[in-house]
Amino acid sequence: AKNEGRNRFKYFSEDLTRAARERIDIEIRLRQAIEQGELRVFFQPQICIDNGAVVGAEALVRWQTASGELIPPLRFIPIAEETGLITSIGNWVLRETCRNGQRWRQTGFPPLRLAVNLSPQQFLHSDISDVVAKVLEETGFPAERLELELTESALMKREKEAIEILHKLHGLGVHLAIDDFGTGYSSLAYLKLFPLDVLKIDKSFIEDIPQHTDDMEITATIIAMAKTLRMRVVAEGVETAEQLAFLKSRQCDLYQGYLTSKPLPVAEFEKFLTDYRPI
Ligand code: C2E
Ligand code: CA
Ligand code: CA
Ligand code: CA
């Protein structure tokens, strides 16, 4: 038994070394990727549940290596967050999104609201309202067409500071959303503290509709609660017509999910907009 324990420790530390090596490797490659322009912004359509119209899109970053491999954000965003690289990545995503958004406005696409994810680091430690103001000015994209998504961890880490920053951002005219709602310590009382316009229901509640009646009740409650606070509600991760029908019956405002489209590269997103017919 003693030997077994030692072996287990050995494997454990080898795993750790491997993990640490992979992290450092990704960090180095990520720095190069940023310089060499290997990051891409994909867009996932957001649909109005009432009339089926495309009314917006969420910008989601991708890393496309020189060999064509597509690295998903969950493999590099956490590392970028810890190393501080997230701020330059996030600011770049913001600029790309507004630049494309303005171009779409000028080429006659229907008006869209574009949502960009802000990481806790980027939100709390980077003069974000100055950055946003500058990007809007440089690209000409209207503030009220931009939505910034924040997670509970960004808001609750430093509540007072967070509220101050949110008010500054609101002052610019951008819309503010709370992302992954329901996964943290979200409560009605807490939500009231923050000037937020949009609530995004986490996809973990949507994925088991209609099998898990608990998740259906939680979803219905979150929608009702958001309405009480006069927030727009977005359901994410909608994959089936049945999930959509349930959300519609509960007057959820918008949804995004594979049912309509995966996140798409710019050219494919434009094609999507051109060909789109409501389901
Ligand atoms: P998120 O903000 O919650 O984004 C939604 C995720 O759900 C995206 O994963 C999207 O592709 C995925 N998704 C959308 N519809 C469906 C569906 O119907 N079913 C399923 N199973 N998944 C669906 P993605 O693009 O891999 O992004 C993962 C996370 O990485 C994001 O979660 C966000 O936290 C982070 N992220 C992505 N881009 C950025 C960025 O530019 N900045 C920051 N700070 N974080 C980002
Ligand atoms: Ca998001
Ligand atoms: Ca989310
Ligand atoms: Ca679930």
Side-chain angles (χ1 to χ4, degrees):
K2 210 176 180 184
N3 258 340
E4 215 176 86
R6 200 175 298 145
N7 276 339
R8 217 182 287 135
F9 177 72
K10 190 174 148 230
Y11 288 128
F12 181 61
S13 63
E14 270 175 7
D15 275 355
L16 259 188
T17 316
R18 200 179 308 127
R21 222 184 292 129
E22 202 199 32
R23 290 180 60 83
I24 293 169
D25 180 52
I26 288 192
E27 187 191 337
I28 293 168
R29 287 172 56 205
L30 186 53
R31 281 183 198 278
Q32 291 168 348
I34 296 168
E35 281 166 22
Q36 289 162 11
E38 291 180 2
L39 298 182
R40 304 274 174 273
V41 184
F42 280 32
F43 292 90
Q44 183 177 41
Q46 293 185 331
I47 313 293
C48 169
I49 293 181
D50 195 42
N51 65 14
V54 185
V55 291
E58 177 177 5
L60 293 153
V61 71
R62 299 285 181 270
W63 172 5
Q64 187 162 25
T65 66
S67 65
E69 187 197 356
L70 215 53
I71 303 179
L74 290 179
R75 269 188 56 207
F76 65 92
I77 293 282
I79 295 170
E81 177 77 13
E82 282 174 38
T83 54
L85 282 173
I86 190 67
T87 299
S88 43
I89 295 175
N91 292 349
W92 178 82
V93 171
L94 177 69
R95 188 176 305 267
E96 276 298 291
T97 300
C98 292
R99 196 177 60 73
N100 278 300
Q102 184 62 3
R103 195 169 52 76
W104 293 330
R105 283 166 54 79
Q106 289 165 341
T107 43
F109 286 105
L112 300 174
R113 181 169 288 126
L114 300 180
V116 174
N117 293 282
L118 295 187
S119 87
Q121 178 77 22
Q122 189 189 4
F123 174 68
L124 287 167
H125 305 286
S126 76
D127 297 324
I128 188 66
S129 62
D130 293 344
V131 172
V132 171
K134 188 153 172 263
V135 169
L136 291 172
E137 196 196 306
E138 284 174 8
T139 59
F141 192 61
E144 67 277 8
R145 289 282 155 197
L146 180 64
E147 189 169 293
L148 301 173
E149 297 190 4
L150 298 145
T151 55
E152 285 165 44
S153 61
L155 298 182
M156 288 166 200
K157 241 184 227 162
R158 310 223 197 138
E159 191 185 301
K160 281 222 181 76
E161 273 175 84
I163 292 173
E164 222 171 89
I165 301 170
L166 291 177
H167 279 296
K168 270 197 200 168
L169 289 168
H170 242 184
L172 298 175
V174 303
H175 294 221
L176 301 170
I178 185 155
D179 202 0
D180 305 337
F181 188 82
T183 56
Y185 297 95
S186 2
S187 76
L188 187 68
Y190 223 113
L191 262 192
K192 247 179 60 178
L193 289 176
F194 302 102
L196 296 164
D197 310 283
V198 179
L199 184 155
K200 297 191 77 176
I201 306 174
D202 191 68
K203 60 177 174 293
S204 60
F205 297 107
I206 308 299
E207 71 190 355
D208 297 318
I209 294 175
Q211 291 80 19
H212 291 189
T213 49
D214 280 3
D215 284 351
M216 295 171 85
E217 280 170 28
I218 292 169
T219 299
T221 305
I222 294 175
I223 294 170
M225 186 182 98
K227 300 248 153 183
T228 305
L229 292 171
R230 293 189 189 77
M231 294 171 84
R232 216 160 41 240
V233 200
V234 183
E236 59 178 23
V238 176
E239 295 186 357
T240 71
E242 212 168 1
Q243 291 165 347
L244 178 58
F246 174 74
L247 293 164
K248 188 166 189 164
S249 76
R250 299 308 160 111
Q251 272 106 48
C252 182
D253 300 302
L254 311 176
Y255 80 94
Q256 57 186 95
Y258 298 167
L259 177 63
T260 299
S261 173
K262 291 187 298 189
L264 300 169
V266 169
E268 283 176 47
F269 180 70
E270 291 173 0
K271 187 171 183 323
F272 170 89
L273 290 177
T274 308
D275 299 345
Y276 180 76
R277 296 287 173 277
I279 27 175

